[in-house]
Amino acid sequence: MKKIIILLLFTALNTAFAQNGKVYLKSKFNVGKNNTYIYEPPQGVVIEDNAKANVLYVTSYDFSNDLISLKKDGKRYEFTTKVPDSARVLMVSIDDLHKIADNNKDQGYVVLLKTQNDIELGKSMMNQISMRNYANHFLNLKLDTKPENIIAEYDAVFAKYPKLREDKGAVNYLYLKKSLNAEQGQKDLMAFASKCIEKNTEEYLTLAYNVSQGGNKPEETEKLGKEISARYPTGQLERTFFIRNFYDQANKTEAAIKESMNAYKAKFKDFSPDDLRAFDRALQTAYLENGEYEKAVALEPNLKNASDLYNNYAWGKSGGDLTSPVKNLDFVVKISERSMYLLEQRKNESYYPGYNDSFNMFADTYALLLYKQGKYAEAFKYQSGVKDKNGLDSGGKDRYLGMMDKVKSKDEVKAYIDDEISKGNTSRVFLAKLKEIYIEKKLPLEEYNAIEQKTNVVAKENKNKDLIQRFGSANAIDFTLKNLDGKETKLSDYKGKVVVLDFWATWCGPCKASFPKMQNLVTKYKGKDVAFLFINTWENGKEEDIFKKVSSYIVDKKFDFNVVFDSKAEVVTNYKVNGIPTRVVIDKNGTILAYDYSNTDIAAIIDEQLK
């Protein structure tokens, strides 16, 4: 299973709470050096010997979440860590092997690092306001994420420190306001970019460039980018351009990746392991594609969460269903198994708040691959583990049923299907298996027919409810985008056909891993009343560069796709897409039939519409 999570940098952290315990600096904060922090547990809270501090910081360009050992000092504890010079705030929870020992009643502990004067204090408070979603995700906190409440917190800071409205940290506030009022928010962002240019420093010019990329003056933005690169040839923006160009290179070999990495080192000289991580990830991918297991394992210390990369690779190769063949199956299984091993290893080191989510994704992948090896009992064991953690999506439930059918009796399979249907959960796979059981056991088919009719009605009602909740209507939102030939393509022109929208980007590994399967569908329905629109979105760079990159990729891979370009990210926004790949199936009358991120049986939906 592959799930893509988007963490927005313009979110906030509520400071209006009392910290029952305490986390604070042992002495004055020393920039760029190791600093020691004191943790005083609340009265009555027992801290085990194996407990660690789960520490989070977020900067303009990076974030980090690390577990740091605690050293007992009487009734207090100490931990020591070094953070980047630009870090202003630490968020902390205390974890042991089995649980969160103390996270200040789901609010976390806050340490402001830079408070030497009013301006520095205000900037640290704004940095703190930008950490909410990160803290909720990585520290398992439960902080309010309502934009209007977060905006109010920023306003309170600005009321005390009005000059900070022009500080770089205010950009997060402006993006939040844009989420509530797009037109006015965009105007405010462009005005902010102009003020950044007036400050005429590398940091603010780079910020102006980044903000301006969302505007309607691409020529001016491009010119600004070139000026910044010329003035600061080893600066942050030039590093970004270097990495972006590296990502755009096709068919990265081990030699080519190492050559680019060495060129990066030679040009920028002052770099960190984080700076080189893009190259290490590319190397890891190259090793996996070449079947070089030992090289991949040796590279793990250079990566953050190599287990995620392993699972992404294995899921991309799995086919996503029980029937698609897998090339080099034994090797792919080995990689999936490695992702499970690393996950358990991390869990055994200390409590991992994201363990259940990761287990559900990794075990779902591993179970599917074991099934394809014919190891049905083991596959069912892992898929059952996902079920026990409430991690089965609709596709996962179909796979669970298929695995169960291999190792359990027909009565047990029927009982599971009946239970899911009673909860309002069903699918074509469930109904097909149930009908098969009715026929095999000579049960009355009129009873099955009644169940099928009822479940189809309930499924349709639930689907309409979900779509109306998401969009306000089940009607597909019309749009006009240019295709690879530069011609305008309008969704409403396909009325009378079933339409499949596939949102994707060239940087999205799971998107590209799904394309061979999508090509099979395109080929299968060629000449029929079915249209596929592959909506390229969320790309970085100039439109003409994106066009060349996308066109080259599609041609090189020999995909017969009708690609259209969502250059302004308007369609992806209108369709409420928050992760890719996302696929939307629309019927001949323009009504949305399916909308999700998993491997929905698109063919079954299309076939039903073509009857």
Side-chain angles (χ1 to χ4, degrees):
M1 180 188 295
K2 170 61 182 172
K3 177 173 69 176
I4 298 181
I5 300 172
I6 298 180
L7 295 173
L8 301 179
L9 200 58
F10 46 85
T11 51
L13 178 61
N14 191 339
T15 60
F17 57 79
Q19 299 189 138
N20 297 308
K22 295 180 182 178
V23 177
Y24 54 90
L25 280 158
K26 187 173 184 179
S27 59
K28 181 180 178 182
F29 179 67
N30 291 309
V31 177
K33 297 182 179 180
N34 281 318
N35 286 274
T36 299
Y37 301 82
I38 304 297
Y39 165 57
E40 296 182 6
Q43 186 174 359
V45 172
V46 177
I47 304 300
E48 297 182 4
D49 292 339
N50 54 34
K52 295 183 180 182
N54 193 352
V55 180
L56 170 72
Y57 67 79
V58 179
T59 71
S60 299
Y61 302 107
D62 192 17
F63 68 90
S64 185
N65 169 228
D66 296 308
L67 291 167
I68 303 169
S69 296
L70 292 175
K71 179 181 179 182
K72 190 171 177 58
D73 181 19
K75 294 182 179 181
R76 308 186 312 175
Y77 295 83
E78 295 184 357
F79 63 92
T80 300
T81 187
K82 181 180 177 181
V83 298
D85 294 353
S86 56
R88 291 184 166 276
V89 177
L90 295 188
M91 284 288 295
V92 182
S93 73
I94 306 301
D95 303 343
D96 59 35
L97 284 180
H98 308 293
K99 65 184 184 303
I100 296 176
D102 177 22
N103 65 358
N104 194 30
K105 296 182 178 180
D106 297 325
Q107 301 300 297
Y109 289 102
V110 177
V111 183
L112 301 181
L113 303 178
K114 298 178 181 178
T115 60
Q116 58 267 43
N117 55 51
D118 284 350
I119 293 297
E120 292 300 317
L121 174 61
K123 289 181 178 181
S124 294
M125 291 170 67
M126 284 207 299
N127 181 228
Q128 181 183 355
I129 293 176
S130 73
M131 295 176 65
R132 179 175 294 259
N133 268 7
Y134 289 88
N136 282 352
H137 181 71
F138 290 105
L139 304 185
N140 206 33
L141 304 183
K142 297 177 181 176
L143 300 166
D144 181 17
T145 57
K146 293 181 179 178
E148 56 270 27
N149 294 343
I150 300 169
I151 288 171
E153 293 181 31
Y154 273 108
D155 285 334
V157 174
F158 295 145
K160 191 169 184 179
Y161 309 108
K163 290 184 179 179
L164 291 183
R165 286 186 178 275
E166 296 183 9
D167 183 79
K168 64 179 182 178
V171 72
N172 302 315
Y173 166 77
L174 295 175
Y175 277 119
L176 255 184
K177 294 195 74 174
K178 183 182 176 182
S179 72
L180 300 180
N181 186 330
E183 184 176 354
Q184 183 58 49
Q186 185 62 25
K187 290 180 181 178
D188 292 343
L189 279 166
M190 292 304 101
F192 179 79
S194 296
K195 291 180 180 178
C196 288
I197 292 174
E198 291 175 4
K199 294 190 177 183
N200 201 30
T201 66
E202 180 188 358
E203 186 175 39
Y204 278 93
L205 288 171
T206 300
L207 180 57
Y209 173 83
N210 291 331
V211 170
S212 297
Q213 284 192 305
N216 57 2
K217 298 180 179 179
E219 296 82 6
E220 292 184 13
T221 301
E222 182 183 1
K223 180 182 177 183
L224 177 61
K226 290 180 178 178
E227 291 174 353
I228 296 170
S229 290
R231 285 178 60 178
Y232 307 101
T234 60
Q236 183 61 48
L237 187 60
E238 187 62 19
R239 294 178 188 226
T240 299
F241 287 158
F242 191 104
I243 297 297
R244 185 181 295 170
N245 290 334
F246 170 72
Y247 277 135
D248 289 344
Q249 295 173 14
N251 302 319
K252 300 182 182 71
T253 64
E254 178 182 2
I257 295 167
K258 289 183 175 179
E259 182 180 354
S260 293
M261 182 188 292
N262 290 332
Y264 185 93
K265 291 177 179 178
K267 179 171 183 177
F268 298 108
K269 295 181 176 61
D270 181 20
F271 54 84
S272 69
D274 286 345
D275 291 334
L276 303 180
R277 198 156 282 129
F279 305 102
D280 289 327
R281 284 196 297 267
L283 273 176
Q284 186 82 322
T285 300
Y287 293 150
L288 294 178
E289 292 293 346
N290 293 335
E292 298 177 288
Y293 180 80
E294 289 76 15
K295 284 187 175 181
V297 170
L299 198 61
E300 288 172 5
N302 295 359
L303 301 167
K304 284 186 177 180
N305 299 328
S307 57
D308 288 337
L309 193 151
Y310 286 144
N311 179 65
N312 291 346
Y313 169 82
W315 177 254
K317 299 295 184 183
S318 73
D321 57 42
L322 296 177
T323 58
S324 298
V326 177
K327 293 181 179 179
N328 302 319
L329 176 59
D330 290 346
F331 177 77
V332 179
V333 171
K334 190 175 183 179
I335 296 303
S336 182
E337 184 178 27
R338 183 69 180 175
S339 75
M340 295 294 299
Y341 168 78
L342 292 176
L343 176 64
E344 295 303 316
Q345 189 180 58
R346 179 175 180 181
K347 178 190 175 186
N348 292 335
E349 290 176 358
S350 181
Y351 176 73
Y352 173 31
Y355 172 78
N356 281 355
D357 286 341
S358 293
F359 176 87
N360 289 339
M361 287 188 288
F362 297 2
D364 187 35
T365 303
Y366 190 43
L368 174 57
L369 293 165
L370 289 171
Y371 178 92
K372 293 188 176 186
Q373 279 188 322
K375 299 177 181 177
Y376 302 127
E378 193 175 357
F380 183 66
K381 181 188 78 171
Y382 279 97
Q383 198 74 349
S384 296
V386 179
K387 180 178 180 293
D388 291 342
K389 290 180 169 56
N390 298 314
L392 293 178
D393 58 13
S394 57
K397 288 181 179 180
D398 287 347
R399 294 189 290 277
Y400 176 85
L401 175 62
M403 296 170 194
M404 185 182 198
D405 190 45
K406 292 289 187 180
V407 298
K408 299 293 183 180
S409 70
K410 295 298 180 185
D411 288 339
E412 289 172 298
V413 173
K414 183 178 181 300
Y416 169 66
I417 296 174
D418 290 341
D419 181 58
E420 286 295 316
I421 288 177
S422 72
K423 297 173 183 176
N425 303 323
T426 187
S427 71
R428 289 174 175 81
V429 173
F430 272 50
L431 291 174
K433 179 55 65 175
L434 185 60
K435 185 175 183 179
E436 179 185 305
I437 293 173
Y438 265 79
I439 293 172
E440 183 177 327
K441 297 180 73 67
K442 295 182 169 53
L443 299 174
L445 281 179
E446 58 268 21
E447 182 180 312
Y448 166 78
N449 292 333
I451 293 172
E452 181 184 32
Q453 185 176 7
K454 182 179 178 180
T455 56
N456 285 338
V457 170
V458 172
K460 186 174 182 180
E461 290 175 350
N462 289 340
K463 183 205 72 175
N464 288 337
K465 182 180 178 181
D466 291 342
L467 292 173
I468 289 172
Q469 185 176 1
R470 180 180 289 270
F471 299 111
S473 167
N475 296 326
I477 304 167
D478 199 11
F479 57 80
T480 302
L481 299 174
K482 289 185 178 180
N483 64 15
L484 282 170
D485 296 323
K487 296 179 181 178
E488 290 190 343
T489 299
K490 194 172 184 180
L491 175 62
S492 56
D493 289 341
Y494 292 93
K495 195 167 185 179
K497 292 187 175 185
V498 180
V499 180
V500 179
L501 308 181
D502 190 330
F503 292 89
W504 71 288
T506 56
W507 49 262
C508 171
C511 300
K512 294 186 288 188
S514 71
F515 277 180
K517 188 173 181 179
M518 293 303 295
Q519 178 62 67
N520 291 338
L521 291 176
V522 170
T523 302
K524 176 179 179 179
Y525 294 106
K526 188 178 289 288
K528 298 182 181 180
D529 288 335
V530 182
F532 291 82
L533 295 179
F534 291 82
I535 302 177
N536 180 262
T537 190
W538 287 341
E539 295 280 5
N540 294 313
K542 297 184 295 181
E543 285 189 27
E544 56 266 34
D545 292 339
I546 293 171
F547 175 85
K548 291 177 183 177
K549 177 170 55 178
V550 170
S551 180
S552 176
Y553 174 76
I554 295 297
V555 171
D556 288 346
K557 297 296 182 181
K558 297 181 173 59
F559 289 133
D560 184 19
F561 291 171
N562 185 6
V563 176
V564 293
F565 293 88
D566 184 24
S567 303
K568 297 181 180 179
E570 292 176 349
V571 178
V572 76
T573 300
N574 289 339
Y575 275 81
K576 314 295 184 184
V577 174
N578 58 17
I580 53 177
T582 288
R583 296 181 185 90
V584 180
V585 185
I586 303 167
D587 72 11
K588 295 180 179 182
N589 297 315
T591 301
I592 298 175
L593 296 171
Y595 179 104
D596 65 27
Y597 313 103
S598 63
N599 282 267
T600 296
D601 191 349
I602 295 175
I605 298 173
I606 295 173
D607 290 342
E608 182 70 23
Q609 295 299 306
L610 295 181
K611 287 181 179 178

